[in-house]
Amino acid sequence: MTTAIEITDLRKSFGGVPAVDGVSLTVQAGTITGYLGPNGAGKTTTLRCLLGLVAPDSGTCLVNGRRYADLPKPITEVGAVLEATGFHPSRSARDHLAIMCAAAGLPRARVDEALGEVGLAHAANKRVGGFSLGMRQRLALAGALLGRPKILILDEPANGLDPAGIEWLRGFLRHWAHELGAAVLVSSHVLAEVEQTVDNAIIIAGGRLVRHGSIADLTRGEQQIRIRALGDFRPVLEGAGARVTEGPDGVLRVKGMSIDEVGRLALNSRVVLTEISEERYDLHRVFLDLTDARTEGAHS
Ligand SMILES: Nc1ncnc2c1ncn2[C@@H]1O[C@H](COP(=O)(O)OP(=O)(O)OP(=O)(O)O)[C@@H](O)[C@H]1O
């Protein structure tokens, strides 16, 4: 497998507040990686560092083994869409791409090819000012494809797409990665938008990596026991070797122990359990917990 994107211990703060706090990740050629997290998690800052738009405080960001700024002709190696804005409203989609092609020294034939690749051939002569957000997303994507890059970096590409558009995006990304061999890194704050598309998922919150792995492993989940206890049961569990996390609502989630073992431990230590059940700690749970924690933070 070829490593196309490699970020190592990336850190970036704004005004002393960390936006990205020690993130490391790799993306292999031929795979789609979802970079997931709630709003403000640090996704865009990571992608901006990767594209040389923001200078990291420390850490390295490499694409095809080099810093983006050191690539001889970046448009042919990396296609990026950070936000689908900045189009001249009175320009047609075709003219917009033609200007980009000319500026980058790419063959003019790529304009109509790229419009076709994103399903915008029918709107080639329409003024961008009349485009919907979804059409702008597609046009921005067409711009990123002009140089036939083997790395795609897309920030929230599903924003503004209707369900049919999201389905189209899934097929598009799979084709680009699985058939054309590109490495795709795609960010989203909506798990459902990307979970059927990505091969691997990386979840960040508060600038830190929370979970990462193949989507198959993450959605299969890990067994855990959910309990509520009267009294302080956590040290007892941890003393017995369990891994315990505590939700803002006082719910304890226990890993590394069966439900029977947790029940017996509570009995032996004379702790009253008011709730005990098994649940899977899967990707959805991770996301819900992150969202809960944020909501909690917002209210406190
Ligand atoms: N240029 C900047 N100046 C100051 N603070 C910034 C700047 N860019 C990002 N931040 C802060 O860094 C944190 C991470 O923001 P970032 O945009 O990277 O998150 P995100 O995960 O992409 O969120 P979203 O899904 O809302 O785009 C936020 O608290 C944000 O306010």
Side-chain angles (χ1 to χ4, degrees):
M1 288 233 266
T2 315
T3 300
I5 298 174
E6 186 170 18
I7 296 178
T8 310
D9 201 17
L10 178 66
R11 290 169 202 275
K12 177 69 188 179
S13 295
F14 294 104
V17 181
V20 178
D21 198 9
V23 164
S24 298
L25 64 91
T26 57
V27 182
Q28 310 297 326
T31 65
I32 308 171
T33 296
Y35 194 44
L36 312 173
N39 290 125
K43 304 181 295 294
T44 303
T45 303
T46 307
L47 302 187
R48 289 174 66 85
C49 288
L50 190 55
L51 295 167
L53 298 169
V54 165
D57 296 337
S58 64
T60 52
C61 296
L62 301 178
V63 280
N64 286 338
R66 303 191 203 194
R67 292 186 322 132
Y68 184 89
D70 296 335
L71 296 175
K73 200 168 182 188
I75 196 166
T76 61
E77 292 192 57
V78 183
V81 180
L82 289 195
E83 42 182 353
T85 57
F87 302 115
H88 197 293
S90 62
R91 217 167 258 158
S92 70
R94 181 178 279 134
D95 286 349
H96 170 76
L97 295 181
I99 290 166
M100 286 181 73
C101 259
L106 295 170
R108 165 84 198 217
R110 279 301 294 146
V111 170
D112 284 336
E113 285 171 9
L115 284 169
E117 282 158 4
V118 301
L120 270 188
H122 66 284
N125 293 322
K126 294 207 170 112
R127 284 158 28 107
V128 178
F131 275 20
S132 67
L133 182 54
M135 290 169 84
R136 282 167 202 260
Q137 288 280 22
R138 288 182 193 235
L139 180 58
L141 201 50
L145 299 181
L146 287 174
R148 292 198 175 283
K150 283 298 176 78
I151 297 178
L152 289 182
I153 297 170
L154 310 175
D155 197 12
E156 305 270 0
N159 265 1
L161 296 184
D162 56 18
I166 290 177
E167 196 49 47
W168 169 82
L169 182 69
R170 286 187 182 131
F172 169 86
L173 294 180
R174 283 195 202 116
H175 172 70
W176 213 260
H178 300 159
E179 284 158 46
L180 304 182
V184 179
L185 179 60
V186 48
S187 83
S188 179
H189 66 283
V190 185
L191 176 59
E193 274 175 4
V194 295
E195 68 169 327
Q196 292 171 41
T197 316
V198 303
D199 304 304
N200 300 299
I202 294 168
I203 301 178
I204 67 160
R208 287 170 184 261
L209 218 127
V210 179
R211 301 256 292 185
H212 65 112
S214 75
I215 201 82
D217 285 347
L218 291 178
T219 46
R220 193 180 306 124
E222 188 183 354
Q223 191 72 22
Q224 65 178 11
I225 315 301
R226 173 193 160 97
I227 54 175
R228 277 178 200 274
L230 299 180
D232 198 6
F233 192 30
R234 183 173 181 165
V236 180
L237 287 160
E238 288 176 336
R243 285 172 291 135
V244 186
T245 51
E246 188 165 355
D249 47 2
V251 168
L252 298 179
R253 291 195 169 84
V254 183
K255 290 182 201 162
M257 243 183 213
S258 71
I259 193 164
D260 290 356
E261 287 168 328
V262 172
R264 228 173 276 128
L265 193 61
L267 181 67
N268 292 342
S269 35
R270 305 183 66 78
V271 168
V272 175
L273 298 184
T274 54
E275 183 184 332
I276 181 164
S277 60
E278 283 175 316
E279 67 180 16
R280 284 192 179 280
Y281 193 65
D282 67 6
L283 209 50
H284 295 268
R285 186 72 245 163
V286 175
F287 245 71
L288 280 176
D289 285 355
L290 291 175
T291 318
D292 283 355
R294 278 173 50 81
T295 314
E296 193 73 12
H299 290 308
S300 60

